[in-house]
Amino acid sequence: KKKKRKATHMSTSKDSRGHGGTPSDVTQNQIVLYGSAFLLGVSIQRWLRSQLVNGRERLSAPAARAAQWTAAMRAVESMDGSALFNDDMAERMAGKRMFRRCLNLSAKVPLDHAGERLNKISEVALGTWWFDRQIMTLLTSNSLHSAMGWLSARLRNSARGLAGPPRQVVSIGSGFDTRPWRMAMPPMTKWLEIDTKEVVAAKLRRLKACNAELKIHSNTGYYPLRTIQWDIHAVDIAKEHLDFGKLMDMYGLDLDSPIVWLVENVLWFLPPERVKHVLLHMSAVSSPGSIVIGNSTVNRGAELLGEGKHGSYPADVVGHWVSSLPGRQEDLHVALQEAGWDLMESCSQEDIAETVCNGRDISSMCSGGVGEDVCEGEHRPEDVYFFARKV
């Protein structure tokens, strides 16, 4: 009987091991299984998040893709040892896919100028440098700087009056701009950005991925906020009506104080009637001393694509340029006057390139045909950069 019981016990033990072993073995296997599943889930979540913040999310609107492309070109410029500016966040803002695309397309400086730069200066870099210069001059001094030199004392005095330098900036169609983090702003500067819902949502995700500080003195970001206040508002100004007065009040801006309005790389995406409407509305809510800084193409996208004159700008972006402003200063003055602004000065991209290159060969230093006689007016769009004061 004892031998029979022992044989039965051994048989039962073998059967139990055959179906998973002892209870302690089963528990350990479950722990390993659940732990592996948890780690796999965390890894998938992080991978999906990296796809979003690295720009593999596909922005659908043309203006949104243009904003990505602009950020990528700023990132390419920031890589250069002689960069016109330093935008550390631009690569993350653009996303890896767009950054690689722009880096591969960047024109290289000829060998006889290789010691000065690695890549040629792009149209975006020239424009960004010009806007940086105007913004900082307006916010920090009682004079305005043009691409060609200092404005006359009469214009300098009338631009500001007794109000003092502005401390409010409103950027329309801001895209993935990072000036509130990369530029040394004067104290008490407030910064408000306006763009579409798609761009605003993507920008907020990427700012968080960059660990950028969104509120002053929160001490939560790797990139500190350089303005006392930064806000972003989602609205499509190409289609939706925007009450700037209510918007300024909503975000605590003072309508009795001067405002610096930025319309950088945005007017050409608006229908012609909307360009005038937006500029008029901006002027209507602005106090004396307010300034608009902007740029536009002189030709519409369809004309440029039809004649192959879009330079290094992506064709899928240029095709959606539906508006333009006159290139001649007299005509531009009339167009802005009708929209409530008095033109103070305008310049072309060639003018900006001349200032940046400072006597060096422009065609060797700049891309997109800037400074090349054979390309001027033939293979690249004509741009106009301007600043104007409230009428």
Side-chain angles (χ1 to χ4, degrees), residues 2 25 34 61 69 102 113 161 168 170 194 210 222 235 292 306 383:
K2 287 181 180 180
D25 292 338
Y34 294 153
W69 178 75
C102 291
H113 291 79
Q168 304 178 122
V170 179
I194 300 170
C210 290
Y222 179 78
V235 65
V292 59
D383 295 334

Side-chain angles (χ1 to χ4, degrees), residues 193 241 355:
E193 299 184 358
H241 173 71
T355 305

Side-chain angles (χ1 to χ4, degrees), residues 8 15 50 63 76 87 112 217 226:
T8 305
D15 292 342
S50 70
V76 172
D87 192 342
D112 52 343
H217 301 320
R226 303 293 187 90

Side-chain angles (χ1 to χ4, degrees), residues 37-69:
F38 173 78
L39 292 175
L40 179 61
V42 170
S43 299
I44 292 174
Q45 184 183 30
R46 288 180 176 176
W47 180 82
L48 289 173
R49 188 180 300 167
S50 70
Q51 300 306 294
L52 292 175
V53 301
N54 285 334
R56 291 189 174 91
E57 56 177 335
R58 294 190 178 274
L59 302 182
S60 58
R65 295 198 303 274
Q68 268 189 297
W69 178 75

